[in-house]
Amino acid sequence: MSLLQGKKALLTGASRGIGAAIACALAKEGASLTLVAHPHHEQDLKQCADKAKGCGAKECNCHTIDFADTAAVQKFAEQCASQNYDVLINNAAIFGSHKAEELGPLKGNPDDWDRVMKVNALAPMRLIRTLAPKMVDKGEGWIINIGDVEAVHEGPHHPAYAASKYALRGFGLSSYEVLRKHNVRVVDIAPGNVAQTGMSEKSDMHGGQGAFNPDDVAEAVLFCFRLSKNAVPEEIVLKAVKPGTAA
Ligand SMILES: NC(=O)c1ccc[n+]([C@@H]2O[C@H](COP(=O)([O-])OP(=O)(O)OC[C@H]3O[C@@H](n4cnc5c(N)ncnc54)[C@H](OP(=O)(O)O)[C@@H]3O)[C@@H](O)[C@H]2O)c1
């Protein structure tokens, strides 16, 4: 029996990179999917949806939205509430600038930080706030947030981005405690360096010198569903075995 047979999953940031890998992994396990990405890349999203169908997704719908548009996010979240999702995976995020220095205390435009906070933290928090009560009513559910080691270990290097990931991690860890007694499981998956994604290719942040693959993050997601019904990991931190060596 597949892990997610009969389950409905909402996955953000599904047009490429880690999200596209997670979409295929969920599809192979028999989930019905709603895949979400920014309107600028609708074509990429559709291609990922076709791939997910090829991987075995029972159903696969696409939705485009800009997570920086708060009103649109709220409307979308309310529409999603009636869909009875079993799984929410908050994966979409932006780095905010191609250069780390422009995200920090000495350089960069704080208006750009608003967008980083909205996309990486506030939009996922709104989705959680809207979907979690439905999961509680149903008596089960999974919320998986894709975070970053920048918000787990000392010495983050990309201030505004790290701030957004700390915010989501804080909301997730608090929600973990509130929701697990209702059989709704919240997990923060914090990858280190992941290669072959839009984010790692465009920024000075990740990938580049080599890292592990998006499929490894997708495997970490599946690991959560493989556990027995009475277990829930709070956080999963993933790092490359040999930093600087391509996986
Ligand atoms: N790559 C790494 O090394 C690394 C390491 C640690 C954690 N992470 C985390 O892993 C997750 C996925 O990252 P990735 O590397 O796979 O990045 P990616 O390839 O750049 O993918 C980002 C996804 O987020 C979507 N997105 C971006 N801005 C959006 C917006 N305003 N509204 C709606 N959707 C938006 C993108 O949609 P479009 O394609 O339509 O723009 C895309 O599907 C992120 O949470 C990231 O912080 C990545």
Side-chain angles (χ1 to χ4, degrees):
M1 169 91 165
S2 308
L3 280 177
L4 295 168
Q5 206 66 45
K7 303 289 183 199
K8 285 176 81 173
L10 175 65
L11 168 66
T12 72
S15 58
R16 52 195 154 97
I18 292 169
I22 296 172
C24 262
L26 299 180
K28 282 180 187 158
E29 293 299 337
S32 295
L33 300 174
T34 300
L35 304 181
V36 186
H38 191 283
H40 287 162
H41 300 106
E42 194 168 6
Q43 229 18 60
D44 293 344
L45 184 65
K46 284 186 177 154
Q47 277 176 14
C48 282
D50 287 343
K51 207 170 157 200
K53 281 180 200 154
C55 288
K58 229 173 163 40
E59 272 182 58
C60 192
N61 305 308
C62 294
H63 191 94
T64 59
I65 182 173
D66 181 358
F67 277 146
D69 180 343
T70 304
V73 173
Q74 186 57 31
K75 195 170 160 205
F76 174 62
E78 283 163 15
Q79 285 165 3
C80 289
S82 61
Q83 295 297 311
N84 259 328
Y85 287 106
D86 304 282
V87 178
L88 164 64
I89 302 184
N90 285 310
N91 166 73
I94 52 171
F95 190 46
S97 166
H98 300 331
K99 292 186 183 140
E101 63 190 22
E102 288 176 4
L103 292 162
L106 297 177
K107 281 190 181 173
N109 180 352
D111 288 345
D112 294 339
W113 305 347
D114 288 0
R115 189 171 174 81
V116 173
M117 293 303 289
K118 281 182 183 173
V119 175
N120 298 6
L122 295 171
M125 285 159 61
R126 264 177 205 275
L127 286 176
I128 293 170
R129 172 67 186 88
T130 314
L131 297 193
K134 300 284 174 187
M135 292 177 177
V136 168
D137 288 349
K138 210 165 152 180
E140 63 175 354
W142 279 97
I143 296 167
I144 297 178
N145 297 321
I146 306 300
D148 195 296
V149 289
E150 289 235 4
V152 177
H153 292 163
E154 282 173 26
H157 299 300
H158 306 92
Y161 172 83
S164 70
K165 290 295 185 181
Y166 265 104
L168 182 59
R169 179 172 176 244
F171 194 82
L173 293 180
S174 310
S175 302
Y176 172 92
E177 289 304 337
V178 174
L179 293 174
R180 76 190 159 104
K181 48 177 138 342
H182 298 283
N183 198 29
V184 176
R185 294 176 261 189
V186 184
V187 187
D188 182 85
I189 296 182
N193 226 0
V194 185
Q196 302 158 20
T197 80
M199 194 177 276
S200 55
E201 277 160 18
K202 275 197 230 144
S203 71
D204 63 357
M205 171 203 193
H206 291 302
Q209 318 147 4
F212 52 88
N213 295 319
D215 286 341
D216 293 313
V217 183
E219 267 307 311
V221 170
L222 291 186
F223 164 79
C224 299
F225 303 119
R226 290 198 178 103
L227 294 170
S228 79
K229 280 197 177 298
N230 205 29
V232 53
E234 192 174 26
E235 298 195 82
I236 299 174
V237 179
L238 282 179
K239 291 185 187 174
V241 173
K242 293 183 187 172
T245 307

